[in-house]
Amino acid sequence: EAQVTQNPRYLITVTGKKLTVTCSQNMNHEYMSWYRQDPGLGLRQIYYSMNVEVTDKGDVPEGYKVSRKEKRNFPLILESPSPNQTSLYFCASSSWGAGTDTQYFGPGTRLTVL
Amino acid sequence: SQQGEEDPQALSIQEGENATMNCSYKTSINNLQWYRQNSGRGLVHLILIRSNEREKHSGRLRVTLDTSKKSSSLLITASRAADTASYFCATGPMDSNYQLIWGAGTKLIIKP
């Protein structure tokens, strides 16, 4: 089954404790992206990747890191999480860029930073 | 940056009625996409309409695009309780193939 998976689905952590949210897709998609969703704000893009080893900042990259060492995986790293990073996070992938192609979304990761 | 604005922010209708949601945006686009999100879950793609298209259908969904007014509408006909969800429009700007600009969504409630 074609899908985007994220882990963990729920995470409660404390300020400053490094964490990684994993994202994997099995559709051989070139493009992957991370979003955060906050009430009343829609989705805001954090980072995206056009291919292996090619990443770029979205609208809200501060406090986040990403890497794309393999085509199927695109982990999101919070090196020193802060309470303002409490949010619902989505990973997405597509054959081509988000601006031209249907996005396939993961189920989301609900992160709480205390 | 947010470009799309959905209207209304919330809509409550009886099952069987039609639901119309509107989206306005600010800059030139390659395409406009509509997504559905059930409460707190992942987003599901509904329709992509390209800038040179005016109308598109998929089952009970009808999407129109008016590039001169920079607006789009999503019509759901014969609504069902399962249509209860939030609906988002997202635009692919002309100057970037790699980003989608999202609106804040319309929350649709279908009353049985």
Side-chain angles (χ1 to χ4, degrees), chain A residues 31 35 37 41-42 45 48 50 59 90 97-103 105-106, chain B residues 1-2 31 33 35 37 41-43 45 50 88 92 97-100 102-104:
Chain A
Y31 179 93
Y35 295 91
Q37 184 178 31
L41 292 180
Q45 191 176 47
Y48 60 94
M50 297 82 89
D59 295 319
F90 290 102
T100 58
D101 198 10
T102 299
Q103 297 294 289
F105 280 83
Chain B
S1 60
Q2 286 197 290
N31 65 69
Q33 304 180 38
Y35 288 81
Q37 182 182 33
R41 300 179 71 177
L43 285 85
H45 178 259
R50 303 198 184 280
F88 294 89
N97 289 334
Y98 299 113
Q99 294 187 283
L100 272 177
W102 295 80

PDB file of all heavy atoms in Angstrom, chain A residues 31 35 37 41-42 45 48 50 59 90 97-103 105-106, chain B residues 1-2 31 33 35 37 41-43 45 50 88 92 97-100 102-104:
ATOM      1  N   TYR A  31      10.113  14.351  -3.992  1.00  0.00           N
ATOM      2  CA  TYR A  31       9.896  15.527  -3.146  1.00  0.00           C
ATOM      3  C   TYR A  31       9.293  15.120  -1.807  1.00  0.00           C
ATOM      4  O   TYR A  31       8.366  14.314  -1.749  1.00  0.00           O
ATOM      5  CB  TYR A  31       8.946  16.486  -3.867  1.00  0.00           C
ATOM      6  CG  TYR A  31       8.588  17.741  -3.119  1.00  0.00           C
ATOM      7  CD1 TYR A  31       9.316  18.915  -3.302  1.00  0.00           C
ATOM      8  CD2 TYR A  31       7.508  17.768  -2.231  1.00  0.00           C
ATOM      9  CE1 TYR A  31       8.982  20.078  -2.626  1.00  0.00           C
ATOM     10  CE2 TYR A  31       7.176  18.919  -1.545  1.00  0.00           C
ATOM     11  CZ  TYR A  31       7.913  20.070  -1.753  1.00  0.00           C
ATOM     12  OH  TYR A  31       7.582  21.211  -1.076  1.00  0.00           O
ATOM     13  N   TYR A  35       5.516  20.031   7.502  1.00  0.00           N
ATOM     14  CA  TYR A  35       4.630  21.137   7.847  1.00  0.00           C
ATOM     15  C   TYR A  35       4.326  21.067   9.342  1.00  0.00           C
ATOM     16  O   TYR A  35       4.345  19.999   9.947  1.00  0.00           O
ATOM     17  CB  TYR A  35       3.291  21.035   7.112  1.00  0.00           C
ATOM     18  CG  TYR A  35       3.349  21.157   5.612  1.00  0.00           C
ATOM     19  CD1 TYR A  35       3.486  20.033   4.809  1.00  0.00           C
ATOM     20  CD2 TYR A  35       3.235  22.404   5.001  1.00  0.00           C
ATOM     21  CE1 TYR A  35       3.515  20.149   3.422  1.00  0.00           C
ATOM     22  CE2 TYR A  35       3.258  22.525   3.620  1.00  0.00           C
ATOM     23  CZ  TYR A  35       3.394  21.383   2.837  1.00  0.00           C
ATOM     24  OH  TYR A  35       3.411  21.500   1.477  1.00  0.00           O
ATOM     25  N   GLN A  37       1.094  22.407  11.897  1.00  0.00           N
ATOM     26  CA  GLN A  37      -0.270  22.924  11.862  1.00  0.00           C
ATOM     27  C   GLN A  37      -0.658  23.401  13.248  1.00  0.00           C
ATOM     28  O   GLN A  37      -0.605  22.650  14.225  1.00  0.00           O
ATOM     29  CB  GLN A  37      -1.256  21.847  11.404  1.00  0.00           C
ATOM     30  CG  GLN A  37      -2.683  22.382  11.265  1.00  0.00           C
ATOM     31  CD  GLN A  37      -3.647  21.331  10.767  1.00  0.00           C
ATOM     32  OE1 GLN A  37      -3.496  20.143  11.038  1.00  0.00           O
ATOM     33  NE2 GLN A  37      -4.654  21.766  10.013  1.00  0.00           N
ATOM     34  N   LEU A  41      -4.258  28.621  11.854  1.00  0.00           N
ATOM     35  CA  LEU A  41      -3.170  29.092  10.974  1.00  0.00           C
ATOM     36  C   LEU A  41      -2.977  28.225   9.744  1.00  0.00           C
ATOM     37  O   LEU A  41      -2.099  28.490   8.939  1.00  0.00           O
ATOM     38  CB  LEU A  41      -1.857  29.138  11.755  1.00  0.00           C
ATOM     39  CG  LEU A  41      -1.771  30.181  12.854  1.00  0.00           C
ATOM     40  CD1 LEU A  41      -0.417  30.115  13.546  1.00  0.00           C
ATOM     41  CD2 LEU A  41      -1.988  31.587  12.288  1.00  0.00           C
ATOM     42  N   GLY A  42      -3.744  27.183   9.563  1.00  0.00           N
ATOM     43  CA  GLY A  42      -3.502  26.310   8.429  1.00  0.00           C
ATOM     44  C   GLY A  42      -2.160  25.613   8.560  1.00  0.00           C
ATOM     45  O   GLY A  42      -1.610  25.467   9.649  1.00  0.00           O
ATOM     46  N   GLN A  45       4.912  25.544   6.088  1.00  0.00           N
ATOM     47  CA  GLN A  45       5.988  24.650   5.665  1.00  0.00           C
ATOM     48  C   GLN A  45       7.259  24.935   6.456  1.00  0.00           C
ATOM     49  O   GLN A  45       7.686  26.097   6.593  1.00  0.00           O
ATOM     50  CB  GLN A  45       6.248  24.817   4.173  1.00  0.00           C
ATOM     51  CG  GLN A  45       7.158  23.763   3.588  1.00  0.00           C
ATOM     52  CD  GLN A  45       7.306  23.919   2.102  1.00  0.00           C
ATOM     53  OE1 GLN A  45       7.546  25.016   1.599  1.00  0.00           O
ATOM     54  NE2 GLN A  45       7.150  22.827   1.371  1.00  0.00           N
ATOM     55  N   TYR A  48      11.700  21.555   3.018  1.00  0.00           N
ATOM     56  CA  TYR A  48      11.366  20.615   1.970  1.00  0.00           C
ATOM     57  C   TYR A  48      12.637  20.109   1.315  1.00  0.00           C
ATOM     58  O   TYR A  48      13.716  20.693   1.475  1.00  0.00           O
ATOM     59  CB  TYR A  48      10.408  21.222   0.938  1.00  0.00           C
ATOM     60  CG  TYR A  48      10.926  22.444   0.209  1.00  0.00           C
ATOM     61  CD1 TYR A  48      11.568  22.335  -1.018  1.00  0.00           C
ATOM     62  CD2 TYR A  48      10.741  23.724   0.741  1.00  0.00           C
ATOM     63  CE1 TYR A  48      12.017  23.454  -1.691  1.00  0.00           C
ATOM     64  CE2 TYR A  48      11.185  24.841   0.070  1.00  0.00           C
ATOM     65  CZ  TYR A  48      11.815  24.707  -1.138  1.00  0.00           C
ATOM     66  OH  TYR A  48      12.270  25.827  -1.801  1.00  0.00           O
ATOM     67  N   MET A  50      13.971  18.414  -2.457  1.00  0.00           N
ATOM     68  CA  MET A  50      13.661  18.107  -3.849  1.00  0.00           C
ATOM     69  C   MET A  50      14.246  16.766  -4.288  1.00  0.00           C
ATOM     70  O   MET A  50      13.818  16.199  -5.286  1.00  0.00           O
ATOM     71  CB  MET A  50      14.204  19.209  -4.772  1.00  0.00           C
ATOM     72  CG  MET A  50      13.562  20.563  -4.521  1.00  0.00           C
ATOM     73  SD  MET A  50      14.283  21.457  -3.136  1.00  0.00           S
ATOM     74  CE  MET A  50      15.582  22.352  -3.967  1.00  0.00           C
ATOM     75  N   ASP A  59       8.727  28.251   5.237  1.00  0.00           N
ATOM     76  CA  ASP A  59       8.347  29.522   5.853  1.00  0.00           C
ATOM     77  C   ASP A  59       8.770  29.650   7.310  1.00  0.00           C
ATOM     78  O   ASP A  59       8.979  30.752   7.800  1.00  0.00           O
ATOM     79  CB  ASP A  59       6.824  29.702   5.769  1.00  0.00           C
ATOM     80  CG  ASP A  59       6.352  29.818   4.335  1.00  0.00           C
ATOM     81  OD1 ASP A  59       7.038  30.506   3.554  1.00  0.00           O
ATOM     82  OD2 ASP A  59       5.319  29.222   4.001  1.00  0.00           O
ATOM     83  N   PHE A  90       3.178  17.373  10.163  1.00  0.00           N
ATOM     84  CA  PHE A  90       2.870  16.480   9.053  1.00  0.00           C
ATOM     85  C   PHE A  90       4.044  16.404   8.088  1.00  0.00           C
ATOM     86  O   PHE A  90       4.639  17.427   7.726  1.00  0.00           O
ATOM     87  CB  PHE A  90       1.643  16.958   8.274  1.00  0.00           C
ATOM     88  CG  PHE A  90       0.360  16.813   9.023  1.00  0.00           C
ATOM     89  CD1 PHE A  90      -0.227  17.907   9.632  1.00  0.00           C
ATOM     90  CD2 PHE A  90      -0.261  15.583   9.126  1.00  0.00           C
ATOM     91  CE1 PHE A  90      -1.403  17.780  10.333  1.00  0.00           C
ATOM     92  CE2 PHE A  90      -1.446  15.445   9.818  1.00  0.00           C
ATOM     93  CZ  PHE A  90      -2.018  16.550  10.420  1.00  0.00           C
ATOM     94  N   GLY A  97       7.404  18.705  -7.276  1.00  0.00           N
ATOM     95  CA  GLY A  97       7.283  19.692  -6.225  1.00  0.00           C
ATOM     96  C   GLY A  97       5.857  19.898  -5.773  1.00  0.00           C
ATOM     97  O   GLY A  97       4.907  19.661  -6.506  1.00  0.00           O
ATOM     98  N   ALA A  98       5.737  20.385  -4.535  1.00  0.00           N
ATOM     99  CA  ALA A  98       4.412  20.594  -3.944  1.00  0.00           C
ATOM    100  C   ALA A  98       3.579  21.538  -4.778  1.00  0.00           C
ATOM    101  O   ALA A  98       2.351  21.401  -4.841  1.00  0.00           O
ATOM    102  CB  ALA A  98       4.564  21.137  -2.529  1.00  0.00           C
ATOM    103  N   GLY A  99       4.222  22.500  -5.406  1.00  0.00           N
ATOM    104  CA  GLY A  99       3.467  23.495  -6.144  1.00  0.00           C
ATOM    105  C   GLY A  99       2.887  23.000  -7.450  1.00  0.00           C
ATOM    106  O   GLY A  99       2.118  23.712  -8.098  1.00  0.00           O
ATOM    107  N   THR A 100       3.229  21.782  -7.848  1.00  0.00           N
ATOM    108  CA  THR A 100       2.762  21.294  -9.136  1.00  0.00           C
ATOM    109  C   THR A 100       2.107  19.925  -9.066  1.00  0.00           C
ATOM    110  O   THR A 100       1.630  19.424 -10.074  1.00  0.00           O
ATOM    111  CB  THR A 100       3.930  21.195 -10.137  1.00  0.00           C
ATOM    112  OG1 THR A 100       4.930  20.319  -9.596  1.00  0.00           O
ATOM    113  CG2 THR A 100       4.554  22.547 -10.382  1.00  0.00           C
ATOM    114  N   ASP A 101       2.056  19.314  -7.882  1.00  0.00           N
ATOM    115  CA  ASP A 101       1.676  17.910  -7.837  1.00  0.00           C
ATOM    116  C   ASP A 101       0.894  17.600  -6.556  1.00  0.00           C
ATOM    117  O   ASP A 101       1.054  18.279  -5.542  1.00  0.00           O
ATOM    118  CB  ASP A 101       2.951  17.064  -7.888  1.00  0.00           C
ATOM    119  CG  ASP A 101       2.679  15.634  -8.270  1.00  0.00           C
ATOM    120  OD1 ASP A 101       1.553  15.320  -8.673  1.00  0.00           O
ATOM    121  OD2 ASP A 101       3.615  14.820  -8.165  1.00  0.00           O
ATOM    122  N   THR A 102       0.101  16.542  -6.609  1.00  0.00           N
ATOM    123  CA  THR A 102      -0.652  16.103  -5.442  1.00  0.00           C
ATOM    124  C   THR A 102       0.276  15.696  -4.314  1.00  0.00           C
ATOM    125  O   THR A 102       1.236  14.955  -4.529  1.00  0.00           O
ATOM    126  CB  THR A 102      -1.516  14.887  -5.821  1.00  0.00           C
ATOM    127  OG1 THR A 102      -2.416  15.274  -6.846  1.00  0.00           O
ATOM    128  CG2 THR A 102      -2.286  14.365  -4.619  1.00  0.00           C
ATOM    129  N   GLN A 103      -0.025  16.176  -3.115  1.00  0.00           N
ATOM    130  CA  GLN A 103       0.753  15.816  -1.938  1.00  0.00           C
ATOM    131  C   GLN A 103       0.100  14.646  -1.206  1.00  0.00           C
ATOM    132  O   GLN A 103      -1.112  14.624  -1.021  1.00  0.00           O
ATOM    133  CB  GLN A 103       0.830  17.007  -0.972  1.00  0.00           C
ATOM    134  CG  GLN A 103       1.552  18.219  -1.538  1.00  0.00           C
ATOM    135  CD  GLN A 103       3.014  17.927  -1.770  1.00  0.00           C
ATOM    136  OE1 GLN A 103       3.789  17.796  -0.849  1.00  0.00           O
ATOM    137  NE2 GLN A 103       3.388  17.830  -3.046  1.00  0.00           N
ATOM    138  N   PHE A 105       0.048  12.813   2.419  1.00  0.00           N
ATOM    139  CA  PHE A 105       0.394  13.180   3.788  1.00  0.00           C
ATOM    140  C   PHE A 105       0.493  11.969   4.700  1.00  0.00           C
ATOM    141  O   PHE A 105      -0.250  10.983   4.555  1.00  0.00           O
ATOM    142  CB  PHE A 105      -0.660  14.131   4.355  1.00  0.00           C
ATOM    143  CG  PHE A 105      -0.485  15.544   3.895  1.00  0.00           C
ATOM    144  CD1 PHE A 105      -0.986  15.953   2.671  1.00  0.00           C
ATOM    145  CD2 PHE A 105       0.200  16.462   4.684  1.00  0.00           C
ATOM    146  CE1 PHE A 105      -0.817  17.259   2.228  1.00  0.00           C
ATOM    147  CE2 PHE A 105       0.368  17.764   4.256  1.00  0.00           C
ATOM    148  CZ  PHE A 105      -0.137  18.161   3.032  1.00  0.00           C
ATOM    149  N   GLY A 106       1.391  12.074   5.659  1.00  0.00           N
ATOM    150  CA  GLY A 106       1.438  11.125   6.753  1.00  0.00           C
ATOM    151  C   GLY A 106       0.327  11.407   7.748  1.00  0.00           C
ATOM    152  O   GLY A 106      -0.384  12.406   7.635  1.00  0.00           O
TER     153      GLY A 106
ATOM    154  N   SER B   1       4.345  31.898   4.441  1.00  0.00           N
ATOM    155  CA  SER B   1       3.377  32.977   4.237  1.00  0.00           C
ATOM    156  C   SER B   1       2.065  32.358   3.790  1.00  0.00           C
ATOM    157  O   SER B   1       2.054  31.385   3.038  1.00  0.00           O
ATOM    158  CB  SER B   1       3.861  33.945   3.195  1.00  0.00           C
ATOM    159  OG  SER B   1       4.064  33.286   1.964  1.00  0.00           O
ATOM    160  N   GLN B   2       0.969  32.902   4.279  1.00  0.00           N
ATOM    161  CA  GLN B   2      -0.325  32.372   3.912  1.00  0.00           C
ATOM    162  C   GLN B   2      -0.894  33.193   2.786  1.00  0.00           C
ATOM    163  O   GLN B   2      -0.915  34.417   2.820  1.00  0.00           O
ATOM    164  CB  GLN B   2      -1.260  32.396   5.114  1.00  0.00           C
ATOM    165  CG  GLN B   2      -0.896  31.318   6.120  1.00  0.00           C
ATOM    166  CD  GLN B   2      -2.023  31.064   7.094  1.00  0.00           C
ATOM    167  OE1 GLN B   2      -2.302  31.918   7.917  1.00  0.00           O
ATOM    168  NE2 GLN B   2      -2.663  29.936   7.005  1.00  0.00           N
ATOM    169  N   ASN B  31      -1.385  26.179 -10.003  1.00  0.00           N
ATOM    170  CA  ASN B  31      -2.567  25.349  -9.763  1.00  0.00           C
ATOM    171  C   ASN B  31      -3.128  25.644  -8.387  1.00  0.00           C
ATOM    172  O   ASN B  31      -2.494  26.337  -7.579  1.00  0.00           O
ATOM    173  CB  ASN B  31      -2.210  23.862  -9.876  1.00  0.00           C
ATOM    174  CG  ASN B  31      -1.249  23.419  -8.801  1.00  0.00           C
ATOM    175  OD1 ASN B  31      -1.583  23.355  -7.631  1.00  0.00           O
ATOM    176  ND2 ASN B  31      -0.020  23.103  -9.191  1.00  0.00           N
ATOM    177  N   GLN B  33      -5.172  23.499  -5.187  1.00  0.00           N
ATOM    178  CA  GLN B  33      -5.550  22.163  -4.727  1.00  0.00           C
ATOM    179  C   GLN B  33      -6.488  22.274  -3.522  1.00  0.00           C
ATOM    180  O   GLN B  33      -6.374  23.207  -2.714  1.00  0.00           O
ATOM    181  CB  GLN B  33      -4.287  21.380  -4.320  1.00  0.00           C
ATOM    182  CG  GLN B  33      -3.256  21.287  -5.433  1.00  0.00           C
ATOM    183  CD  GLN B  33      -2.011  20.516  -5.018  1.00  0.00           C
ATOM    184  OE1 GLN B  33      -2.098  19.531  -4.299  1.00  0.00           O
ATOM    185  NE2 GLN B  33      -0.854  20.981  -5.482  1.00  0.00           N
ATOM    186  N   TYR B  35      -7.887  20.038  -0.162  1.00  0.00           N
ATOM    187  CA  TYR B  35      -7.614  18.899   0.690  1.00  0.00           C
ATOM    188  C   TYR B  35      -8.679  18.834   1.784  1.00  0.00           C
ATOM    189  O   TYR B  35      -9.237  19.856   2.195  1.00  0.00           O
ATOM    190  CB  TYR B  35      -6.234  19.017   1.356  1.00  0.00           C
ATOM    191  CG  TYR B  35      -5.080  18.813   0.418  1.00  0.00           C
ATOM    192  CD1 TYR B  35      -4.630  19.840  -0.405  1.00  0.00           C
ATOM    193  CD2 TYR B  35      -4.411  17.584   0.362  1.00  0.00           C
ATOM    194  CE1 TYR B  35      -3.568  19.652  -1.276  1.00  0.00           C
ATOM    195  CE2 TYR B  35      -3.339  17.389  -0.496  1.00  0.00           C
ATOM    196  CZ  TYR B  35      -2.927  18.426  -1.304  1.00  0.00           C
ATOM    197  OH  TYR B  35      -1.861  18.229  -2.161  1.00  0.00           O
ATOM    198  N   GLN B  37      -9.394  17.288   5.780  1.00  0.00           N
ATOM    199  CA  GLN B  37      -8.767  16.788   6.992  1.00  0.00           C
ATOM    200  C   GLN B  37      -9.844  16.437   8.004  1.00  0.00           C
ATOM    201  O   GLN B  37     -10.567  17.315   8.462  1.00  0.00           O
ATOM    202  CB  GLN B  37      -7.812  17.817   7.602  1.00  0.00           C
ATOM    203  CG  GLN B  37      -7.098  17.303   8.834  1.00  0.00           C
ATOM    204  CD  GLN B  37      -6.190  18.334   9.469  1.00  0.00           C
ATOM    205  OE1 GLN B  37      -6.467  19.530   9.438  1.00  0.00           O
ATOM    206  NE2 GLN B  37      -5.078  17.891  10.033  1.00  0.00           N
ATOM    207  N   ARG B  41      -6.361  14.541  11.950  1.00  0.00           N
ATOM    208  CA  ARG B  41      -5.700  13.473  11.192  1.00  0.00           C
ATOM    209  C   ARG B  41      -5.015  14.047   9.964  1.00  0.00           C
ATOM    210  O   ARG B  41      -4.977  15.247   9.751  1.00  0.00           O
ATOM    211  CB  ARG B  41      -6.737  12.419  10.828  1.00  0.00           C
ATOM    212  CG  ARG B  41      -7.399  11.813  12.046  1.00  0.00           C
ATOM    213  CD  ARG B  41      -8.442  10.800  11.677  1.00  0.00           C
ATOM    214  NE  ARG B  41      -7.851   9.588  11.131  1.00  0.00           N
ATOM    215  CZ  ARG B  41      -8.570   8.524  10.790  1.00  0.00           C
ATOM    216  NH1 ARG B  41      -9.889   8.539  10.921  1.00  0.00           N
ATOM    217  NH2 ARG B  41      -8.003   7.440  10.311  1.00  0.00           N
ATOM    218  N   GLY B  42      -4.424  13.160   9.166  1.00  0.00           N
ATOM    219  CA  GLY B  42      -3.700  13.596   7.981  1.00  0.00           C
ATOM    220  C   GLY B  42      -4.619  14.171   6.926  1.00  0.00           C
ATOM    221  O   GLY B  42      -5.820  13.928   6.914  1.00  0.00           O
ATOM    222  N   LEU B  43      -4.042  14.945   6.036  1.00  0.00           N
ATOM    223  CA  LEU B  43      -4.812  15.564   4.969  1.00  0.00           C
ATOM    224  C   LEU B  43      -4.916  14.630   3.775  1.00  0.00           C
ATOM    225  O   LEU B  43      -3.973  13.904   3.462  1.00  0.00           O
ATOM    226  CB  LEU B  43      -4.160  16.870   4.534  1.00  0.00           C
ATOM    227  CG  LEU B  43      -4.349  18.032   5.511  1.00  0.00           C
ATOM    228  CD1 LEU B  43      -3.291  18.005   6.598  1.00  0.00           C
ATOM    229  CD2 LEU B  43      -4.319  19.347   4.763  1.00  0.00           C
ATOM    230  N   HIS B  45      -5.887  14.495  -0.317  1.00  0.00           N
ATOM    231  CA  HIS B  45      -6.059  15.297  -1.526  1.00  0.00           C
ATOM    232  C   HIS B  45      -7.422  15.032  -2.159  1.00  0.00           C
ATOM    233  O   HIS B  45      -7.853  13.878  -2.278  1.00  0.00           O
ATOM    234  CB  HIS B  45      -4.950  14.953  -2.523  1.00  0.00           C
ATOM    235  CG  HIS B  45      -5.062  15.686  -3.804  1.00  0.00           C
ATOM    236  ND1 HIS B  45      -5.580  15.128  -4.947  1.00  0.00           N
ATOM    237  CD2 HIS B  45      -4.731  16.954  -4.131  1.00  0.00           C
ATOM    238  CE1 HIS B  45      -5.562  16.014  -5.913  1.00  0.00           C
ATOM    239  NE2 HIS B  45      -5.042  17.135  -5.450  1.00  0.00           N
ATOM    240  N   ARG B  50      -5.688  23.172 -12.530  1.00  0.00           N
ATOM    241  CA  ARG B  50      -4.575  23.962 -13.064  1.00  0.00           C
ATOM    242  C   ARG B  50      -5.067  25.344 -13.464  1.00  0.00           C
ATOM    243  O   ARG B  50      -6.259  25.561 -13.694  1.00  0.00           O
ATOM    244  CB  ARG B  50      -3.929  23.234 -14.237  1.00  0.00           C
ATOM    245  CG  ARG B  50      -3.445  21.845 -13.827  1.00  0.00           C
ATOM    246  CD  ARG B  50      -2.429  21.241 -14.767  1.00  0.00           C
ATOM    247  NE  ARG B  50      -2.091  19.876 -14.348  1.00  0.00           N
ATOM    248  CZ  ARG B  50      -1.237  19.587 -13.372  1.00  0.00           C
ATOM    249  NH1 ARG B  50      -0.627  20.555 -12.707  1.00  0.00           N
ATOM    250  NH2 ARG B  50      -0.986  18.330 -13.052  1.00  0.00           N
ATOM    251  N   PHE B  88      -9.295  22.529   3.133  1.00  0.00           N
ATOM    252  CA  PHE B  88      -8.241  23.516   2.916  1.00  0.00           C
ATOM    253  C   PHE B  88      -7.979  23.690   1.424  1.00  0.00           C
ATOM    254  O   PHE B  88      -7.946  22.715   0.665  1.00  0.00           O
ATOM    255  CB  PHE B  88      -6.929  23.060   3.572  1.00  0.00           C
ATOM    256  CG  PHE B  88      -6.985  22.991   5.062  1.00  0.00           C
ATOM    257  CD1 PHE B  88      -7.401  21.835   5.696  1.00  0.00           C
ATOM    258  CD2 PHE B  88      -6.605  24.078   5.839  1.00  0.00           C
ATOM    259  CE1 PHE B  88      -7.449  21.758   7.084  1.00  0.00           C
ATOM    260  CE2 PHE B  88      -6.652  24.011   7.217  1.00  0.00           C
ATOM    261  CZ  PHE B  88      -7.075  22.853   7.841  1.00  0.00           C
ATOM    262  N   GLY B  92      -0.295  26.612  -5.597  1.00  0.00           N
ATOM    263  CA  GLY B  92       1.071  26.469  -6.060  1.00  0.00           C
ATOM    264  C   GLY B  92       1.467  27.740  -6.779  1.00  0.00           C
ATOM    265  O   GLY B  92       0.999  27.996  -7.890  1.00  0.00           O
ATOM    266  N   ASN B  97       7.974  25.903  -7.784  1.00  0.00           N
ATOM    267  CA  ASN B  97       7.387  24.580  -7.961  1.00  0.00           C
ATOM    268  C   ASN B  97       7.416  23.773  -6.668  1.00  0.00           C
ATOM    269  O   ASN B  97       6.877  22.674  -6.610  1.00  0.00           O
ATOM    270  CB  ASN B  97       8.151  23.795  -9.027  1.00  0.00           C
ATOM    271  CG  ASN B  97       7.907  24.336 -10.413  1.00  0.00           C
ATOM    272  OD1 ASN B  97       6.875  24.939 -10.673  1.00  0.00           O
ATOM    273  ND2 ASN B  97       8.863  24.137 -11.292  1.00  0.00           N
ATOM    274  N   TYR B  98       8.068  24.335  -5.634  1.00  0.00           N
ATOM    275  CA  TYR B  98       8.365  23.517  -4.464  1.00  0.00           C
ATOM    276  C   TYR B  98       7.556  23.867  -3.237  1.00  0.00           C
ATOM    277  O   TYR B  98       7.729  23.249  -2.195  1.00  0.00           O
ATOM    278  CB  TYR B  98       9.852  23.621  -4.141  1.00  0.00           C
ATOM    279  CG  TYR B  98      10.715  23.124  -5.268  1.00  0.00           C
ATOM    280  CD1 TYR B  98      11.532  23.987  -5.978  1.00  0.00           C
ATOM    281  CD2 TYR B  98      10.677  21.784  -5.641  1.00  0.00           C
ATOM    282  CE1 TYR B  98      12.301  23.517  -7.027  1.00  0.00           C
ATOM    283  CE2 TYR B  98      11.448  21.310  -6.680  1.00  0.00           C
ATOM    284  CZ  TYR B  98      12.253  22.184  -7.379  1.00  0.00           C
ATOM    285  OH  TYR B  98      13.004  21.717  -8.413  1.00  0.00           O
ATOM    286  N   GLN B  99       6.683  24.830  -3.344  1.00  0.00           N
ATOM    287  CA  GLN B  99       5.941  25.231  -2.161  1.00  0.00           C
ATOM    288  C   GLN B  99       4.458  25.340  -2.464  1.00  0.00           C
ATOM    289  O   GLN B  99       4.048  25.682  -3.569  1.00  0.00           O
ATOM    290  CB  GLN B  99       6.466  26.573  -1.638  1.00  0.00           C
ATOM    291  CG  GLN B  99       7.883  26.488  -1.112  1.00  0.00           C
ATOM    292  CD  GLN B  99       8.323  27.771  -0.461  1.00  0.00           C
ATOM    293  OE1 GLN B  99       8.655  28.723  -1.150  1.00  0.00           O
ATOM    294  NE2 GLN B  99       8.308  27.811   0.857  1.00  0.00           N
ATOM    295  N   LEU B 100       3.687  25.014  -1.445  1.00  0.00           N
ATOM    296  CA  LEU B 100       2.249  25.225  -1.475  1.00  0.00           C
ATOM    297  C   LEU B 100       1.912  26.248  -0.415  1.00  0.00           C
ATOM    298  O   LEU B 100       2.460  26.200   0.677  1.00  0.00           O
ATOM    299  CB  LEU B 100       1.492  23.934  -1.152  1.00  0.00           C
ATOM    300  CG  LEU B 100       1.148  22.978  -2.281  1.00  0.00           C
ATOM    301  CD1 LEU B 100       0.457  21.745  -1.711  1.00  0.00           C
ATOM    302  CD2 LEU B 100       0.266  23.653  -3.317  1.00  0.00           C
ATOM    303  N   TRP B 102      -0.986  27.665   1.978  1.00  0.00           N
ATOM    304  CA  TRP B 102      -2.225  27.129   2.520  1.00  0.00           C
ATOM    305  C   TRP B 102      -3.104  28.201   3.145  1.00  0.00           C
ATOM    306  O   TRP B 102      -2.624  29.154   3.748  1.00  0.00           O
ATOM    307  CB  TRP B 102      -1.903  26.093   3.605  1.00  0.00           C
ATOM    308  CG  TRP B 102      -1.205  24.897   3.072  1.00  0.00           C
ATOM    309  CD1 TRP B 102       0.120  24.794   2.783  1.00  0.00           C
ATOM    310  CD2 TRP B 102      -1.788  23.638   2.752  1.00  0.00           C
ATOM    311  NE1 TRP B 102       0.387  23.544   2.297  1.00  0.00           N
ATOM    312  CE2 TRP B 102      -0.763  22.809   2.276  1.00  0.00           C
ATOM    313  CE3 TRP B 102      -3.085  23.126   2.835  1.00  0.00           C
ATOM    314  CZ2 TRP B 102      -0.977  21.492   1.862  1.00  0.00           C
ATOM    315  CZ3 TRP B 102      -3.312  21.819   2.437  1.00  0.00           C
ATOM    316  CH2 TRP B 102      -2.262  21.023   1.963  1.00  0.00           C
ATOM    317  N   GLY B 103      -4.399  27.982   3.019  1.00  0.00           N
ATOM    318  CA  GLY B 103      -5.353  28.778   3.765  1.00  0.00           C
ATOM    319  C   GLY B 103      -5.589  28.161   5.129  1.00  0.00           C
ATOM    320  O   GLY B 103      -5.091  27.078   5.437  1.00  0.00           O
ATOM    321  N   ALA B 104      -6.379  28.853   5.938  1.00  0.00           N
ATOM    322  CA  ALA B 104      -6.638  28.410   7.309  1.00  0.00           C
ATOM    323  C   ALA B 104      -7.766  27.386   7.393  1.00  0.00           C
ATOM    324  O   ALA B 104      -7.991  26.802   8.447  1.00  0.00           O
ATOM    325  CB  ALA B 104      -6.948  29.611   8.196  1.00  0.00           C
TER     326      ALA B 104
END
